[in-house]
Amino acid sequence: MFDIAVFGSLFLTLFVIMDPPGITPIFLALTSGRPAKVQRRMAWQAAAVAFGVITVFGICGQQILDYLHITTPALMIAGGLLLLLIALDLLTGKSEEPTQTKDVNVALVPLGMPLLAGPGAIVSVILAVQHADGVAAQVSVWVAIAAMHVVLWLVMRYSLLIIRVIKDGGVVLVTRLAGMMLSALAVQQIINGITQVIDSH
């Protein structure tokens, strides 16, 4: 009832795309200055939102994209542009908003989506579900998705210990670094989307 090869393949693919170690500085930058309780809540909220989005697209993603006439490259370019806007905020230090809106924005957007549940992860899951033949393969795909989100939650949850060590000055440095990494990631995603559009014509 379990296909270890299917599980391993999807888990590694999602690990590379969702990049738990890489999300750490971005999570720290976006949640700095909040009470520890709020940060812990945001860690599981972000993982839960990502899991919810991935699950919806895993079950009926292709139908959603076909119905809206959205191509995969379009999804990638849109996600890249959204990430680029967030990255510019982090780089320029303009990410300060009222706590209430920050609460909602950060856990749901950009952390839950499109950072964790981005176009790359969504497309990988859609393809994995389509190619999973039989019950064992399907179970393996969904266990891999669930396991990946548990890893993401644990990484974000325990990355908060880093904030206590690096203090405020370190947080500013991490914020700028996260902005730079995120902007490069966003531009790469846009390039990949444009390349796919060119290749398909």
Side-chain angles (χ1 to χ4, degrees), residues 18 49-59 117 121-122 125 142 145 149:
M18 293 174 133
V49 167
F51 182 71
V53 171
I54 292 286
T55 300
V56 168
F57 275 96
I59 294 167
I122 287 170
V125 167
W142 288 104
I145 292 167
H149 286 83

Side-chain angles (χ1 to χ4, degrees), residues 17-18 54 75 112-123 189:
I17 293 170
M18 293 174 133
I54 292 286
L75 195 65
M113 184 174 180
L115 258 180
L116 299 179
I122 287 170
V123 171
Q189 200 162 288

Side-chain angles (χ1 to χ4, degrees), residues 15-197:
F15 192 92
V16 170
I17 293 170
M18 293 174 133
D19 189 19
I23 207 76
T24 303
I26 297 166
F27 178 76
L28 292 178
L30 291 169
T31 61
S32 64
R34 292 177 183 76
K37 188 179 166 187
V38 173
Q39 290 172 320
R40 285 196 295 272
R41 189 177 77 231
M42 292 170 89
W44 75 256
Q45 276 180 342
V49 167
F51 182 71
V53 171
I54 292 286
T55 300
V56 168
F57 275 96
I59 294 167
C60 50
Q62 198 55 60
Q63 293 89 321
I64 293 170
L65 295 182
D66 291 344
Y67 178 75
L68 296 173
H69 305 293
I70 296 172
T71 60
T72 307
L75 195 65
M76 294 179 81
I77 293 168
L81 289 170
L82 186 54
L83 287 182
L84 193 57
L85 288 173
I86 296 152
L88 291 174
D89 272 355
L90 289 177
L91 279 169
T92 54
K94 288 180 184 167
S95 56
E96 293 305 310
E97 299 170 34
T99 309
Q100 216 44 46
T101 52
K102 271 166 88 176
D103 248 20
V104 176
N105 286 348
V106 173
L108 310 183
V109 178
L111 274 174
M113 184 174 180
L115 258 180
L116 299 179
I122 287 170
V123 171
S124 300
V125 167
I126 290 173
L127 293 175
V129 171
Q130 282 176 354
H131 295 156
D133 296 321
V135 177
Q138 285 287 346
V139 168
S140 306
V141 163
W142 288 104
V143 171
I145 292 167
M148 185 66 243
H149 286 83
V150 170
V151 169
L152 284 166
W153 169 69
L154 287 171
V155 167
M156 288 188 289
R157 169 76 174 75
Y158 290 102
S159 67
L160 299 174
L161 298 173
I162 299 169
I163 284 186
R164 290 176 203 157
V165 177
I166 61 175
K167 303 287 189 271
D168 288 348
V171 168
V172 172
L173 183 65
V174 166
T175 303
R176 299 294 180 268
L177 180 67
M180 198 167 68
M181 285 165 48
L182 199 55
S183 58
L185 192 72
V187 170
Q188 187 61 56
Q189 200 162 288
I190 293 166
I191 291 168
N192 291 349
I194 292 169
T195 306
Q196 283 189 28
V197 171

